[in-house]
Amino acid sequence: MKKKEYPLISVIISAYNHEKYIKETIDSIINQTYPNLELIVIDDGSTDRTYNNLLKLKKTCDKRFLRTVFKTQENKGVAYNSKQLISIANGEYVYMIGSDDVAKPHAISFLYEFLSKNKDYGLASGDNELIDSNSNKIYWDYNRNIIYDKEQAIYSTLQTFWVDEIYRVWPHLIGKMPPELESSGDVSYEWFWYNNVVANGYLVRKSVLNLIKPHTVNVPIEDIFLHFQITKYSKEKVFPDILASYRWHQKNTVGSIKHDIGCIATRMYELYLIEEYYPEINNKYNLTQSPMYCYWLERWNIVKKSKLWDEKYYCRKYPEIIEEGWIPLVHYVSFGSHENYYPSAFFEKFPNFLNFELTHFNLSKGRRLKLKIYYRLWKFLDVRYSNIESKQKSSYLELWANKVYKIVSYKLRKSHTPIPKSKSLFGIKERMKNIFYCIMIIIGQLPFFDMVINKNRKNKYISKVYENNNL
């Protein structure tokens, strides 16, 4: 086939502070066996010489590609940059690769051959070998430490690490994962609630990209967001063939705290999109049977339904969040809780309790019970004893809430009534009533409380609390 008979493929690259690697990346695109390409690179405000090194390659690129676009801008983040790159692309297909990674010479031809014959697939990708900052081939152990001896290593490719990581982090999911990836290489929507299992350097139909919602500030991890959107409209294919080299170096953001929080934000934004725009997704993929989807949804609902979450307050307190385009709940559940943003006025009066953030992923049922006790005590103190200074109320709150929690937890264990694992924190109404009685009884010890609690002595459960705690 002549060059013009091949459909145009746009290669798009978002570059940031990769002065040492950008030339090798561009050279790998120049050396592609697929003839009809255009190259679009946007430098996202690099503070090094990435853009200068890019301009040195302009003449060579103009000779090789049908169109070459090199741009630079102020740093606006990967999400905004990706949106710009996709909007500029004129190709029937779009090939995406990182500005520090390296594509194998036959990569685009290989992926195009598959997509051109399989119209029901919107994306195709291969696996990645691992290289270091000097382009030497490397391997990983369980913690992604560099190993040069293959026999001593655990992982030799990026995809094998990602898939295995799911089972290592969540071993209870073994046997419950969607089977398509391991059996045929097909990737469906459910997979991305667990982890990103598509290695770098993938080819996408532009017609599918035109269907998806644009990137926003709510999606710091643009590749997971992209896969969520693509798999709503088509299938994705992952081949075991090595089609690119993934570079592992000191500037990698993968595995950092910021990256992990970005993954949380991206998945929470997807939950928001499902609620607002794609309610049919739940039935289409039977998501209620997906352990990981339920895991993320539970965290979302804990905050959304909490009395300690006040969206109007959050928007007033942090107007810059709205100006940047954040969905308030998405921001708090991810970056806000990590950076100790106040989710409601409660935490202004009692800032010491910010360590009980509403959405901590390791927040046990017991800690949430403790937070609820804090909230009940605070409401009682705030309304009934408004003349007491906030500092004094805060000290009372911390002292007595801890006592309440210890006694209630002890009594629940003794009576073989553990803190329930159901979605409702207190379980059935009767148990909730008993726990609340315990709280009120212990509050009654405070000299400045004048509650009448004698009538509660008729409750056998409460009587035992009285006897064992000398009340």
Side-chain angles (χ1 to χ4, degrees), residues 19 48 89 91 105 127 136 152 154 158 171 191 193 204 210 217 234 282 304 316 318 320 372 384 413 416 424 461:
E19 61 178 358
D48 60 9
D127 203 349
N136 299 313
Q152 297 180 7
I154 305 297
L158 183 61
W191 268 97
W193 289 105
V204 192
N210 291 336
V217 69
S234 64
N282 279 301
K304 186 176 181 180
R316 290 195 306 269
Y318 308 106
E320 68 276 8
K372 287 231 175 186
R384 196 173 183 87
R413 288 196 300 271
H416 304 289
S424 172
Y461 186 85

Side-chain angles (χ1 to χ4, degrees), residues 388-411:
I388 300 177
E389 293 182 3
S390 293
K391 289 183 178 179
Q392 189 179 1
K393 280 193 285 190
S394 179
S395 63
Y396 283 134
L397 181 60
E398 187 170 5
L399 172 64
W400 290 103
N402 277 287
K403 283 192 175 186
V404 170
Y405 177 72
K406 287 178 182 178
I407 294 176
V408 170
S409 298
Y410 173 78
K411 286 301 157 188

Side-chain angles (χ1 to χ4, degrees), residues 91-275:
E92 186 177 334
Y93 299 87
V94 175
Y95 181 75
M96 302 180 181
I97 191 168
S99 59
D100 55 345
D101 297 331
V102 181
K104 297 296 183 182
H106 65 294
I108 295 178
S109 295
F110 182 96
L111 299 173
Y112 164 71
E113 184 177 353
F114 173 80
L115 287 182
S116 63
K117 297 176 181 178
N118 297 272
K119 303 298 183 182
D120 53 333
Y121 287 84
L123 178 148
S125 174
D127 203 349
N128 293 174
E129 66 181 0
L130 307 172
I131 59 175
D132 65 11
S133 58
N134 296 316
S135 299
N136 299 313
K137 191 172 182 179
I138 61 171
Y139 308 94
W140 278 343
D141 64 8
Y142 284 121
N143 297 315
R144 283 185 283 209
N145 295 315
I146 292 177
I147 296 176
Y148 290 96
D149 186 352
K150 185 176 182 179
E151 294 182 358
Q152 297 180 7
I154 305 297
Y155 306 107
S156 59
T157 68
L158 183 61
Q159 188 187 330
T160 54
F161 171 83
W162 277 345
V163 174
D164 189 60
E165 186 181 39
I166 296 173
Y167 296 120
R168 286 192 294 110
V169 177
W170 299 288
H172 61 285
L173 298 177
I174 294 175
K176 298 180 180 180
M177 295 289 290
E180 295 84 2
L181 180 63
E182 296 180 10
S183 61
S184 64
D186 288 355
V187 184
S188 58
Y189 177 83
E190 307 100 292
W191 268 97
F192 300 103
W193 289 105
Y194 300 87
N195 203 354
N196 178 16
V197 292
V198 178
N200 293 356
Y202 37 80
L203 189 66
V204 192
R205 295 184 193 277
K206 181 68 184 298
S207 59
V208 175
L209 290 176
N210 291 336
L211 294 174
I212 69 177
K213 289 190 175 295
H215 293 71
T216 75
V217 69
N218 296 277
V219 290
I221 310 301
E222 83 291 345
D223 52 353
I224 294 179
F225 173 77
L226 183 69
H227 295 309
F228 268 135
Q229 309 318 307
I230 290 175
T231 50
K232 287 177 180 146
Y233 301 101
S234 64
K235 295 188 290 186
E236 295 187 359
K237 184 77 169 182
V238 175
F239 293 96
D241 306 65
I242 303 296
L243 299 182
S245 301
Y246 177 75
R247 194 181 302 277
W248 187 248
H249 53 87
Q250 291 181 345
K251 293 185 178 180
N252 278 103
T253 58
V254 176
S256 66
I257 293 176
K258 184 177 180 180
H259 180 272
D260 292 344
I261 297 173
C263 289
I264 295 170
T266 303
R267 289 187 171 94
M268 292 302 167
Y269 183 62
E270 179 63 15
L271 288 172
Y272 166 80
L273 290 179
I274 291 174
E275 285 188 359

